[in-house]
Structures are given as structure tokens and as C-alpha cells.
Amino acid sequence: MPSWTKLSYYAAILSGIFFFSAALYFADKMFQLSRQEVDKSVPEYRHHFVLVPEEVDNDYWRLVEQGARAAARNHGVLLEYAGPKQANVEEHLKRLEISAAASVDGVMTQGLNENQFTPIINKLMEKGIPVVTVDTDAPGSNRIAYIGTDNYYSGFIAGKALLAGTAGPTYVGIITGGFQSAHQQLRVQGFKDAVAEESRIVITAVEESRITRINAAEMANKILTEHPETNAFFGTSALDGIGIAEAVLQANRALDTYIIAFDSISETVDYIQRGIIQATVIQKPYDIGYKAVETMAAIREGKKVPELNFTETKVLYREDLHSMPEALFGGEGR
Ligand code: BGC
């Protein structure tokens, strides 16, 4: 091959490689932005943050998103809200890896379990991308702050509410979002500790809903079949109470079953109104989202922020419904 042909041959290969890598790089950026819901109402933004929940279309997480978007508008933040369509840890972790590759300005996510989430949280921090945990903390990681419910305490108050709302031998089935999720473990533990002092309370079984209403109903039905003495339930994630209520109604056991749920999404509130669910532990999802973005903006502006930021949690009963401001539903609460 004459040398000029050789040269242009190499030049062609090199420019091919260059354009291919550039395409990959920009495709990754565009993929990150186009596939996600981006808040375009912030025309001139100072920061680009990503909020990664365990399930994007979950009613509870949509409220967190609403709060986060409101804060984003107030703080000049371009917010991406991205994560698994249905809860899936591998996809959740992949989304965090993508955020690391895209060098965003801050990541807000759950520390669902220390083993799987600490490495990626620490990787983001080492890359100079601050991480704030929301809803579920990973205190052993290098995350800068946690914003959310005190999950142990929220389980504990559920246990106390069950003690106050029942009399005589009470056999409790627990439906929990996921055995591996730190916040679910804390809620179950808090509940168990609160009822431990009373020998009339017996926990018949703990089953996992994998945060779907259908699994919650199936598991509640399983508990009722395998432990027919069960006359109370505690659901520790947002859709568990609804699933439990369906199973209990199906089994014709609504009149003699005490149900305490988690969160105040509209179906749960309906069941409370109808007297099928007796109480629910409420969180402040809107505030969690709002404070997460606010805190991340403060971090980016070099301010010192508190490490633990617990949002309000309390037990809600039917009698609270009429006097309850919208804020308690986690919606328009600001
Ligand atoms: C939890 C969230 C969870 C949701 C599932 C809520 O109670 O705080 O972490 O994703 O329930 O429905």
C-alpha cells in the first residue's frame, strides 16, 4: 500500500473511532435525559439532580416527586426522576451507575440495603457527586445526609396503636414490603419491640409483598389460611394495607380483624373511611422530596447540612380524616 493511502486508511479508522465514541458519549447523555421525566419548567438551571426511587409509578413516590419538583423550581434545579418501573434492585443500581457515568450534580436515592447500595453510593461520592439518602438510610455509607421517616420509630408507634386499639388475645400477621429492605426491617423491628411487653399479642407470620398490592393480598390470604387465628394485620409499605383489606374482605373477616396500614394513599384512606382499615402510619412524602432537593442545593452551594433529617410520622385514625389538612396526605403540603 503506498504510504499516503496507508495514512488516509489510518486517519479513516481513527476518525471512525472518534465519531463512534463521541456518539456513544452523547447517546448516553441523551439516553439519560430523554428517557426520563425532566422538569423543563426551570429554563435556566444551576444544578442537575437525579432522584432515583425504587418504583417510579408508585403513588407514594409520585408524592415525593411532586415535592422534589416544587423545590427544584424554587432552587434552579433541573430534576430527573428516574428508576425502575416496578421495584427491582438490579435496575435501581443500574440507574445509579448511569447517574455516576453522566456526572450529574447530585443523586437522591434510597439506601435500600447496605450491602448492595453502599458501594455505588461511595463510588458516586468518590466521583464528587454528593448523595443524599431519602426514605431509607444507609448510615454505613458515605452519603452526606438522610431525609425521611425515622423508620424504627414509625414501626414502634404502629405497635403502640395496635396495643391501644385491641383487647384480649391478638394474633398479628405482618406484611412487609421486602425482607432485604432496611426501612422495612426497621419498621417490623419497631413494631415487634412495641408489642413485646404484652403476652396477649402474638405475631403469627411475617410475609413479603415485594411492594405490590396483589402480592400483599396473596400473602395476607396465605396467613389467614395457615394461621386462621390471625385477627390483626400490620402492613409496612404503602400498598400493603390495601392488599390486606382485600384479602380480609374476601375471607369475610373484616368485622373481627384490626388492620393498621402504612401511608395515606387514597385507597387506604377510603378503607379507613369505611372502617375496614382502623389506622395508618403516615409519612410526609411531599416534604421528603422537597427537603431532599433543598438539602442537595445547599450542599452544592457549599453549606453545611445536618446529617439526619427526620420528617414527621404519626398514626392517623378515621376521626382524624375530617379535620385533616391536605398536608397530611402528603400532597399540597407546602
Ligand atoms: C415506603 C417506600 C416504598 C413504598 C412502597 C412506602 O411506605 O416508604 O419506600 O417504596 O411504601 O409502596
Side-chain angles (χ1 to χ4, degrees):
M1 220 189 279
S3 65
W4 62 268
T5 326
K6 232 183 199 171
L7 268 181
S8 50
Y9 176 73
Y10 288 132
I13 290 183
L14 275 179
S15 54
I17 292 174
F18 173 79
F19 283 115
F20 183 66
S21 332
L24 273 185
Y25 175 79
F26 287 111
D28 177 50
K29 293 246 156 191
M30 279 167 62
F31 170 76
Q32 171 88 352
L33 285 174
S34 61
R35 281 254 317 261
Q36 310 314 324
E37 293 167 51
V38 174
D39 195 338
K40 299 197 184 69
S41 61
V42 185
E44 295 219 341
Y45 61 91
R46 289 196 295 274
H47 316 291
H48 172 192
F49 299 158
V50 186
L51 169 61
V52 187
E54 68 179 311
E55 185 167 272
V56 276
D57 235 344
N58 180 291
D59 284 354
Y60 166 87
W61 283 104
R62 286 291 180 197
L63 291 170
V64 177
E65 182 201 6
Q66 265 183 36
R69 291 213 183 281
R73 282 191 291 277
N74 293 343
H75 290 275
V77 169
L78 175 73
L79 181 74
E80 271 186 82
Y81 173 71
K85 257 194 141 11
Q86 280 179 337
N88 177 314
V89 170
E90 279 67 43
E91 269 181 50
H92 192 152
L93 294 168
K94 207 157 86 198
R95 179 53 56 195
L96 294 173
E97 289 287 352
I98 292 174
S99 304
S103 296
V104 296
D105 302 325
V107 170
M108 297 157 290
T109 193
Q110 290 159 284
L112 272 180
N113 66 69
E114 295 265 9
N115 280 350
Q116 288 172 292
F117 282 72
T118 296
I120 177 67
I121 292 175
N122 290 354
K123 178 174 168 180
L124 284 156
M125 290 292 302
E126 277 152 29
K127 279 199 74 180
I129 303 173
V131 178
V132 164
T133 47
V134 291
D135 176 86
T136 315
D137 196 12
S141 72
N142 295 335
R143 56 92 179 107
I144 296 177
Y146 168 67
I147 323 277
T149 300
D150 178 338
N151 285 302
Y152 177 85
Y153 173 76
S154 67
F156 194 85
I157 57 176
K160 291 291 175 206
L162 179 119
L163 284 179
T166 58
T170 304
Y171 298 92
V172 191
I174 300 179
I175 305 290
T176 188
F179 288 142
Q180 305 305 324
S181 304
H183 62 331
Q184 301 295 303
Q185 292 168 354
L186 286 167
R187 291 175 192 180
V188 172
Q189 196 53 52
F191 182 88
K192 284 184 170 168
D193 290 351
V195 299
E197 68 191 44
E198 290 259 1
S199 58
R200 71 178 181 86
I201 311 282
V202 176
I203 294 172
T204 53
V206 185
E207 297 285 356
E208 189 183 37
S209 68
R210 299 202 308 281
I211 75 166
T212 79
R213 182 183 55 78
I214 293 174
N215 284 333
E218 239 170 60
M219 289 302 126
N221 187 45
K222 179 170 182 258
I223 295 179
L224 284 171
T225 312
E226 289 173 2
H227 307 276
E229 71 279 21
T230 302
N231 58 0
F233 277 98
F234 173 38
T236 71
S237 73
L239 306 178
D240 298 341
I242 308 164
I244 294 167
E246 281 169 8
V248 164
L249 282 170
Q250 186 86 26
N252 246 323
R253 298 284 306 275
L255 284 182
D256 63 350
T257 306
Y258 180 96
I259 304 175
I260 177 156
F262 226 93
D263 297 302
S264 53
I265 61 175
S266 61
E267 287 116 305
T268 304
V269 172
D270 286 348
Y271 277 123
I272 293 177
Q273 224 130 24
R274 290 168 56 194
I276 312 284
I277 292 180
Q278 277 63 41
T280 193
V281 179
I282 55 171
Q283 310 190 72
K284 292 290 201 128
Y286 181 97
D287 286 1
I288 293 172
Y290 196 99
K291 283 193 184 137
V293 168
E294 199 172 52
T295 303
M296 188 61 88
I299 292 170
R300 291 275 19 162
E301 277 144 33
K303 297 188 185 131
K304 242 193 120 29
V305 299
E307 184 183 347
L308 291 179
N309 304 270
F310 291 135
T311 45
E312 194 190 359
T313 179
K314 61 182 179 186
V315 179
L316 173 93
Y317 302 91
R318 181 155 71 165
E319 52 272 27
D320 300 321
L321 291 178
H322 68 279
S323 62
M324 203 170 69
E326 277 298 295
L328 288 182
F329 289 98
E332 312 303 319
R334 273 182 108 91

